[in-house]
PDB file of all heavy atoms in Angstrom:
ATOM      1  N   HIS A 174     -10.601 -38.060 -38.614  1.00 31.00           N
ATOM      2  CA  HIS A 174     -10.747 -39.325 -39.340  1.00 31.00           C
ATOM      3  C   HIS A 174     -12.176 -39.527 -39.839  1.00 31.00           C
ATOM      4  O   HIS A 174     -12.418 -40.299 -40.751  1.00 31.00           O
ATOM      5  CB  HIS A 174     -10.342 -40.489 -38.439  1.00 31.00           C
ATOM      6  CG  HIS A 174      -8.866 -40.583 -38.230  1.00 31.00           C
ATOM      7  ND1 HIS A 174      -8.005 -40.969 -39.228  1.00 31.00           N
ATOM      8  CD2 HIS A 174      -8.086 -40.297 -37.157  1.00 31.00           C
ATOM      9  CE1 HIS A 174      -6.765 -40.943 -38.785  1.00 31.00           C
ATOM     10  NE2 HIS A 174      -6.782 -40.535 -37.533  1.00 31.00           N
ATOM     11  N   THR A 175     -13.133 -38.830 -39.249  1.00 31.00           N
ATOM     12  CA  THR A 175     -14.509 -38.955 -39.705  1.00 31.00           C
ATOM     13  C   THR A 175     -14.840 -37.940 -40.788  1.00 31.00           C
ATOM     14  O   THR A 175     -15.930 -37.940 -41.338  1.00 31.00           O
ATOM     15  CB  THR A 175     -15.481 -38.742 -38.535  1.00 31.00           C
ATOM     16  OG1 THR A 175     -15.279 -37.434 -38.007  1.00 31.00           O
ATOM     17  CG2 THR A 175     -15.238 -39.779 -37.440  1.00 31.00           C
ATOM     18  N   GLY A 176     -13.858 -37.068 -41.090  1.00 33.00           N
ATOM     19  CA  GLY A 176     -14.077 -36.085 -42.147  1.00 33.00           C
ATOM     20  C   GLY A 176     -14.719 -34.807 -41.658  1.00 33.00           C
ATOM     21  O   GLY A 176     -15.008 -33.919 -42.443  1.00 33.00           O
ATOM     22  N   ASP A 177     -14.999 -34.712 -40.350  1.00 33.00           N
ATOM     23  CA  ASP A 177     -15.608 -33.501 -39.805  1.00 33.00           C
ATOM     24  C   ASP A 177     -14.544 -32.438 -39.580  1.00 33.00           C
ATOM     25  O   ASP A 177     -13.374 -32.730 -39.411  1.00 33.00           O
ATOM     26  CB  ASP A 177     -16.302 -33.790 -38.476  1.00 33.00           C
ATOM     27  CG  ASP A 177     -17.433 -34.773 -38.638  1.00 33.00           C
ATOM     28  OD1 ASP A 177     -18.083 -34.736 -39.697  1.00 33.00           O
ATOM     29  OD2 ASP A 177     -17.658 -35.572 -37.725  1.00 33.00           O
ATOM     30  N   TRP A 178     -15.009 -31.187 -39.537  1.00 31.00           N
ATOM     31  CA  TRP A 178     -14.080 -30.092 -39.240  1.00 31.00           C
ATOM     32  C   TRP A 178     -14.050 -29.835 -37.744  1.00 31.00           C
ATOM     33  O   TRP A 178     -15.084 -29.764 -37.098  1.00 31.00           O
ATOM     34  CB  TRP A 178     -14.508 -28.809 -39.953  1.00 31.00           C
ATOM     35  CG  TRP A 178     -14.292 -28.845 -41.416  1.00 31.00           C
ATOM     36  CD1 TRP A 178     -15.246 -28.952 -42.375  1.00 31.00           C
ATOM     37  CD2 TRP A 178     -13.049 -28.771 -42.101  1.00 31.00           C
ATOM     38  NE1 TRP A 178     -14.680 -28.955 -43.613  1.00 31.00           N
ATOM     39  CE2 TRP A 178     -13.331 -28.846 -43.481  1.00 31.00           C
ATOM     40  CE3 TRP A 178     -11.719 -28.664 -41.684  1.00 31.00           C
ATOM     41  CZ2 TRP A 178     -12.344 -28.809 -44.447  1.00 31.00           C
ATOM     42  CZ3 TRP A 178     -10.732 -28.621 -42.649  1.00 31.00           C
ATOM     43  CH2 TRP A 178     -11.049 -28.699 -44.004  1.00 31.00           C
ATOM     44  N   MET A 179     -12.855 -29.722 -37.190  1.00 33.00           N
ATOM     45  CA  MET A 179     -12.709 -29.287 -35.808  1.00 33.00           C
ATOM     46  C   MET A 179     -12.395 -27.800 -35.858  1.00 33.00           C
ATOM     47  O   MET A 179     -11.390 -27.393 -36.413  1.00 33.00           O
ATOM     48  CB  MET A 179     -11.571 -30.044 -35.122  1.00 33.00           C
ATOM     49  CG  MET A 179     -11.815 -31.537 -35.032  1.00 33.00           C
ATOM     50  SD  MET A 179     -10.520 -32.374 -34.112  1.00 33.00           S
ATOM     51  CE  MET A 179      -9.089 -32.025 -35.130  1.00 33.00           C
ATOM     52  N   ASP A 180     -13.267 -26.983 -35.299  1.00 37.00           N
ATOM     53  CA  ASP A 180     -13.109 -25.531 -35.384  1.00 37.00           C
ATOM     54  C   ASP A 180     -13.141 -24.931 -33.980  1.00 37.00           C
ATOM     55  O   ASP A 180     -14.165 -24.901 -33.342  1.00 37.00           O
ATOM     56  CB  ASP A 180     -14.241 -24.964 -36.229  1.00 37.00           C
ATOM     57  CG  ASP A 180     -14.012 -23.501 -36.563  1.00 37.00           C
ATOM     58  OD1 ASP A 180     -13.066 -22.908 -36.025  1.00 37.00           O
ATOM     59  OD2 ASP A 180     -14.781 -22.971 -37.363  1.00 37.00           O
ATOM     60  N   ARG A 181     -11.961 -24.450 -33.507  1.00 37.00           N
ATOM     61  CA  ARG A 181     -11.892 -23.823 -32.191  1.00 37.00           C
ATOM     62  C   ARG A 181     -11.219 -22.461 -32.356  1.00 37.00           C
ATOM     63  O   ARG A 181     -10.049 -22.368 -32.638  1.00 37.00           O
ATOM     64  CB  ARG A 181     -11.065 -24.675 -31.217  1.00 37.00           C
ATOM     65  CG  ARG A 181     -11.617 -26.070 -31.035  1.00 37.00           C
ATOM     66  CD  ARG A 181     -10.793 -26.832 -30.026  1.00 37.00           C
ATOM     67  NE  ARG A 181     -11.248 -28.197 -29.917  1.00 37.00           N
ATOM     68  CZ  ARG A 181     -10.738 -29.093 -29.086  1.00 37.00           C
ATOM     69  NH1 ARG A 181      -9.753 -28.747 -28.289  1.00 37.00           N
ATOM     70  NH2 ARG A 181     -11.192 -30.311 -29.059  1.00 37.00           N
ATOM     71  N   TRP A 182     -12.000 -21.465 -32.155  1.00 35.00           N
ATOM     72  CA  TRP A 182     -11.475 -20.113 -32.442  1.00 35.00           C
ATOM     73  C   TRP A 182     -12.362 -19.087 -31.766  1.00 35.00           C
ATOM     74  O   TRP A 182     -13.578 -19.186 -31.802  1.00 35.00           O
ATOM     75  CB  TRP A 182     -11.484 -19.890 -33.947  1.00 35.00           C
ATOM     76  CG  TRP A 182     -10.909 -18.574 -34.383  1.00 35.00           C
ATOM     77  CD1 TRP A 182     -11.584 -17.516 -34.883  1.00 35.00           C
ATOM     78  CD2 TRP A 182      -9.545 -18.181 -34.345  1.00 35.00           C
ATOM     79  NE1 TRP A 182     -10.737 -16.492 -35.167  1.00 35.00           N
ATOM     80  CE2 TRP A 182      -9.482 -16.865 -34.849  1.00 35.00           C
ATOM     81  CE3 TRP A 182      -8.364 -18.806 -33.932  1.00 35.00           C
ATOM     82  CZ2 TRP A 182      -8.290 -16.171 -34.950  1.00 35.00           C
ATOM     83  CZ3 TRP A 182      -7.177 -18.114 -34.043  1.00 35.00           C
ATOM     84  CH2 TRP A 182      -7.143 -16.822 -34.544  1.00 35.00           C
ATOM     85  N   SER A 183     -11.797 -18.102 -31.113  1.00 36.00           N
ATOM     86  CA  SER A 183     -12.607 -17.079 -30.462  1.00 36.00           C
ATOM     87  C   SER A 183     -13.213 -16.155 -31.513  1.00 36.00           C
ATOM     88  O   SER A 183     -12.623 -15.937 -32.569  1.00 36.00           O
ATOM     89  CB  SER A 183     -11.741 -16.258 -29.496  1.00 36.00           C
ATOM     90  OG  SER A 183     -10.857 -15.444 -30.226  1.00 36.00           O
TER      91      SER A 183
END
Side-chain angles (χ1 to χ4, degrees):
H174 287 289
T175 60
D177 297 326
W178 288 108
M179 297 184 298
D180 190 352
R181 301 182 184 182
W182 183 251
S183 71

